[in-house]
Amino acid sequence: MDLRSHGGDGDGTVYDAAVVGGGLIGLVTAWRAAGRGLRTALVDPRPGGGAARVAAGMLAAVTELHHGEEALLDLNLASAGRYPEFAAELAEATGTDIAYRACGTLQVALDADDRAQLRELHALQRRCGLDTQWLTGRECRRLEPMLAPGVRGGLRVDGDHQTDPRLLVAALLTACERAGVSFVNATATGLVVRGDRAAGVRLDGGTVLAADRTVLAGGSRSAGLDGIPPSVAVPVRPVKGQILRLRMPSGGGAPFLSRTVRAVVRGEQVYLVPRASGELVVGATVEEQGWDTSVTAGGVYQLLRDARELLPGLTELPLAETCAGLRPTSPDNAPLLGPTALPGLFLATGHHRNGVLLAPITGEAMAVALTTGELPDYARPFSAQRFSHDHREVPA
Ligand code: GLY
């Protein structure tokens, strides 16, 4: 792809918006900002990388519900509801099908402890007004015949679907290019502050990219720029996830797996996401290992051991790929969106386990924030300022 490069402020350009970070969240923010008429630059030495290259692409608003995260549930559901239109819009703009599949999810339990935990989740889902259905082990196996005979029961969640994050990122690269986003293939090293405002970023090599609004959207590395003032908190840390990609048998006959299947095995989450392309994604570890992105024997072993308990036939499948990525995680596992305490500086990061799910609504909310200075109502609980010491809304 011919991505236009821009070398900094040599030509005196002042962008309306500079988005720092060309992963999924940076791309969707830049695309939506350009769509609102903002002259937008995307700063990344290699746009299209980041956690989404590793992610399985589950849109798991309901199955990943946790106690205390009811506000996040509303945002997750709202974003999940936008996916069909988002996928259609991207297909129209780019010709790329992001493999959005309304396949649903089955969350199963393997033993009495798992079943008790799943009953708890079911009760929480019902209290939140979610429509999920309890199935016996036999009913689970009727839906997915490859499941282990030991499955004791499960929850049928017909609204949790999937997309292919690699196709999504490819589509957004094209969409940005077609919307006129300038790709600045450089590393941003520092935030430029003039007076009491953010005024752009310094690039490696020393040039300055000038912008009225700067968005930190670099995933777990969003806090890495020099010069971010202490009044602006960017509390993101990396949480490692290792993932496997297997190939399912092709040809006629019943599908190996027709929907996403997941479980908690020995206290660890495991999920299997079958794509129409024949890929079966198995994920994911959750590890606090700093910036380490190595694939380890222990990580692969854990995933295969747990996945095999759900689906014994899986050990026959070719193992096509192993990889690891870093979830950008905030103290409350929810995203950090919109204006910060420094006028002109915005955040779009901290999406933790929900980056792919939240892409549509993040792009939309950030475009509103960049053009009006304020987050839309639905995104206000996720204000970028909620962890600042001096927490008060300031004009952007
Ligand atoms: N949402 C899946 C994961 O973060 O592993």
Side-chain angles (χ1 to χ4, degrees), residues 299-310:
V300 174
Y301 171 70
Q302 176 196 314
L303 290 172
L304 286 176
R305 179 197 61 195
D306 295 351
R308 181 169 159 248
E309 292 206 18
L310 294 183

Side-chain angles (χ1 to χ4, degrees), residues 333-357:
N333 297 336
L336 298 154
L337 302 176
T340 69
L342 180 69
L345 184 65
F346 297 71
L347 301 186
T349 185
H351 292 70
H352 186 46
R353 298 180 71 101
N354 297 312
V356 178
L357 171 60

Side-chain angles (χ1 to χ4, degrees), residues 36-115:
R36 291 245 177 171
L38 299 184
R39 186 169 192 184
T40 302
L42 185 102
V43 184
D44 194 306
R46 285 172 300 281
R53 301 257 348 134
V54 176
M58 283 182 303
L59 307 174
V62 175
T63 41
E64 292 208 357
L65 175 62
H66 291 99
H67 285 283
E69 294 185 1
E70 288 80 358
L72 181 58
L73 171 68
D74 289 342
L75 193 74
N76 286 344
L77 287 172
S79 199
R82 283 160 168 79
Y83 246 96
E85 201 180 322
F86 181 68
E89 204 182 335
L90 273 172
E92 167 86 23
T94 68
T96 301
D97 177 356
I98 64 168
Y100 171 70
R101 245 189 101 202
C103 61
T105 295
L106 185 61
Q107 177 142 15
V108 301
L110 284 164
D111 62 24
D113 286 350
D114 299 343
R115 192 166 53 183

Side-chain angles (χ1 to χ4, degrees), residues 258-346:
S258 61
R259 74 201 70 220
T260 296
V261 169
R262 51 187 303 155
V264 178
V265 182
R266 283 177 284 270
E268 307 282 355
Q269 296 268 356
V270 63
Y271 48 79
L272 299 100
V273 183
R275 298 210 198 289
S277 66
E279 185 175 80
L280 179 65
V281 187
V282 180
T285 63
V286 180
E287 303 168 66
E288 301 272 359
Q289 297 282 352
W291 302 107
D292 171 46
T293 52
S294 56
V295 174
T296 63
V300 174
Y301 171 70
Q302 176 196 314
L303 290 172
L304 286 176
R305 179 197 61 195
D306 295 351
R308 181 169 159 248
E309 292 206 18
L310 294 183
L311 226 63
L314 163 142
T315 48
E316 306 297 322
L317 304 183
L319 175 59
E321 186 185 335
T322 61
C323 54
L326 300 174
R327 304 175 182 88
T329 302
S330 73
D332 61 5
N333 297 336
L336 298 154
L337 302 176
T340 69
L342 180 69
L345 184 65
F346 297 71

